[in-house]
Amino acid sequence: MRTIIIVEEMNKIKKTKQREAILEILKNTKSHPTADEVYQKVRQKIPRISKGTVYRNLKLLTENKEVMKIDTGGTEGRYDARVENHYHFRCESCGKVFDVDVPVDTELDKKVSQKTGFNITHHVLEFRGFCSDCQKKAIISPSGDKNKEEV
Amino acid sequence: MRTIIIVEEMNKIKKTKQREAILEILKNTKSHPTADEVYQKVRQKIPRISKGTVYRNLKLLTENKEVMKIDTGGTEGRYDARVENHYHFRCESCGKVFDVDVPVDTELDKKVSQKTGFNITHHVLEFRGFCSDCQKKAIISPSGDKNKEEV
DNA sequence: AAGTAAATAGTAATGAGAACTATTATTATA
DNA sequence: TATAATAATAGTTCTCATTACTATTTACTT
Ligand SMILES: [Mn+2]
Ligand SMILES: [Mn+2]
Ligand SMILES: [Zn+2]
Ligand SMILES: [Zn+2]
């Protein structure tokens, strides 16, 4: 009787056109789309793709670090093919998310690690406010008008 | 016929023991509880309180800036009676959230505002990694054991 | 070409949170 | 204090993002 040690019993990941299409879409957009937005886009190429497939592959791609999930700001996750750590800005009016290209402060992680004793792997930084478009659109309503009433 | 101008037709907020109990709980904890955790806690004082009441009041208190909602890190919102901006650390193993007391970099907001043209009101910063407890608990499994197999 | 295991489409289930509604509690007023 | 007005509650249903399930299809191995 021979003894065989199987060193690695790895799950083999098969290449599919669905997953490739999803990755391609994320590589070609800067808008940080939600799962549903990715779904709408990929349907143009693969009309019979199911939403479950989109979710499953977004998760897989995230686990494999081929894309990153932005989990800040409420309910919907957003996806980003730019996988190295970087910062974002989220408009509190329209909800759009933009890249903010200032250097990532890795020293801060070390500093806080020292101070707190936590093992810090990274940090997530999101700026909030109003984007250029929403600033333009903002209409200052005449003071009090809404709640004035004649009796 | 007299003309009366009602300058302000304000929604009057009534004081309730439910809302006061919720606020009290948040003021007396540092653990950044979820809505459900607040619900479990407040039931000890008001057993017949409903979950909807907890959600509604957490929203109201957040709108009134008496508490703040932490909306980073996935699905569940967490609540914090410390309302001035400050940073957090989230353990990626147990999910606990801790305060990180380093000064908030408001200059960064100005800098990014200038650079991008966004009207930035604030930023949200969350450190990620493993808390002290989870570092201790971590057991390094003998290399490959899990996937070794005898045939 | 045949065998296998992973991935898919389609559908059902889950779970956080919001909406709805009849009843109750709080505040204003006579 | 009694009465009236209306905000808030309890309990329930609904919504919506995401995951789980399952029979069928597809990709890779031999
Ligand atoms: Mn990005
Ligand atoms: Mn805090
Ligand atoms: Zn905007
Ligand atoms: Zn932990």
Side-chain angles (χ1 to χ4, degrees):
Chain A
M1 189 236 240
R2 288 183 311 141
T3 296
I4 300 165
I5 308 290
I6 298 169
V7 174
E8 195 91 9
E9 180 76 46
M10 193 151 122
N11 281 2
K12 282 154 200 173
I13 287 160
K14 290 178 179 173
K15 197 180 270 196
T16 67
K17 64 175 193 295
Q18 287 87 344
R19 178 157 53 249
E20 286 188 331
I22 289 165
L23 182 57
E24 210 47 46
I25 283 165
L26 286 173
K27 279 185 173 164
N28 290 317
T29 181
K30 295 195 170 305
S31 69
H32 308 88
T34 63
D36 195 67
E37 285 164 352
V38 172
Y39 172 61
Q40 298 306 336
K41 204 72 179 262
V42 75
R43 284 177 82 182
Q44 295 170 12
K45 269 232 158 69
I46 308 168
R48 299 189 57 81
I49 197 171
S50 77
K51 214 177 240 188
T53 297
V54 174
Y55 275 102
R56 186 169 7 83
N57 280 303
L58 286 172
K59 200 179 204 183
L60 244 170
L61 289 167
T62 303
E63 283 162 6
N64 292 6
K65 313 239 188 267
E66 297 190 72
V67 306
M68 118 191 255
K69 183 179 185 181
I70 302 171
D71 64 356
T72 38
T75 41
E76 279 164 281
R78 287 173 169 274
Y79 294 86
D80 193 343
R82 214 180 135 182
V83 289
E84 93 281 1
N85 194 14
H86 61 282
Y87 301 154
H88 292 105
F89 167 83
R90 186 184 299 258
C91 177
E92 299 203 294
S93 175
C94 66
K96 287 200 190 101
V97 174
F98 303 86
D99 284 339
V100 170
D101 286 313
V102 293
V104 171
D105 188 355
T106 50
E107 285 307 309
L108 190 58
D109 290 344
K110 288 175 198 161
K111 182 180 153 192
V112 174
S113 259
Q114 291 262 317
K115 190 181 166 126
T116 61
F118 299 140
N119 174 7
I120 293 172
T121 57
H122 64 291
H123 65 262
V124 174
L125 173 51
E126 187 172 284
F127 297 91
R128 301 264 171 99
F130 300 94
C131 76
S132 315
D133 280 0
C134 289
Q135 284 174 60
K136 282 175 213 150
K137 277 181 227 156
I139 291 152
I140 287 80
S141 66
S143 146
D145 254 10
K146 252 166 102 176
N147 297 317
K148 237 175 229 170
E149 198 182 331
E150 195 166 319
V151 185
Chain B
M1 192 239 238
R2 287 183 312 142
T3 297
I4 301 165
I5 307 290
I6 298 169
V7 176
E8 195 91 9
E9 180 78 43
M10 194 151 120
N11 281 3
K12 282 151 200 175
I13 288 160
K14 290 178 179 174
K15 197 179 272 194
T16 67
K17 65 176 192 295
Q18 286 87 344
R19 178 155 52 249
E20 287 187 332
I22 288 166
L23 182 56
E24 210 48 45
I25 282 165
L26 286 173
K27 280 184 173 164
N28 291 317
T29 181
K30 296 197 170 304
S31 69
H32 310 89
T34 63
D36 195 67
E37 285 164 353
V38 172
Y39 172 60
Q40 298 305 337
K41 203 73 178 261
V42 74
R43 284 177 83 181
Q44 296 170 10
K45 269 232 161 67
I46 308 167
R48 297 189 59 81
I49 197 171
S50 76
K51 216 177 237 189
T53 298
V54 174
Y55 276 103
R56 185 170 8 83
N57 279 302
L58 286 172
K59 200 178 203 183
L60 244 170
L61 290 166
T62 303
E63 283 162 5
N64 292 6
K65 313 238 188 268
E66 297 190 72
V67 307
M68 117 192 257
K69 183 180 186 181
I70 302 171
D71 64 356
T72 38
T75 43
E76 279 165 282
R78 287 173 170 274
Y79 294 88
D80 193 342
R82 211 179 137 184
V83 289
E84 93 283 359
N85 194 13
H86 62 282
Y87 300 154
H88 292 106
F89 167 84
R90 185 184 300 256
C91 177
E92 299 204 295
S93 174
C94 65
K96 286 200 190 102
V97 174
F98 303 86
D99 284 338
V100 170
D101 287 313
V102 293
V104 171
D105 188 355
T106 51
E107 285 307 309
L108 189 58
D109 291 344
K110 288 174 197 161
K111 182 180 153 193
V112 174
S113 258
Q114 291 260 318
K115 191 182 165 121
T116 61
F118 299 141
N119 174 7
I120 293 172
T121 57
H122 64 292
H123 65 262
V124 174
L125 173 51
E126 187 172 284
F127 297 91
R128 302 262 172 99
F130 300 94
C131 76
S132 317
D133 279 2
C134 288
Q135 285 174 61
K136 281 175 216 151
K137 275 181 231 157
I139 291 154
I140 287 79
S141 65
S143 148
D145 253 11
K146 254 167 100 176
N147 296 317
K148 239 178 231 170
E149 199 182 331
E150 195 169 318
V151 187

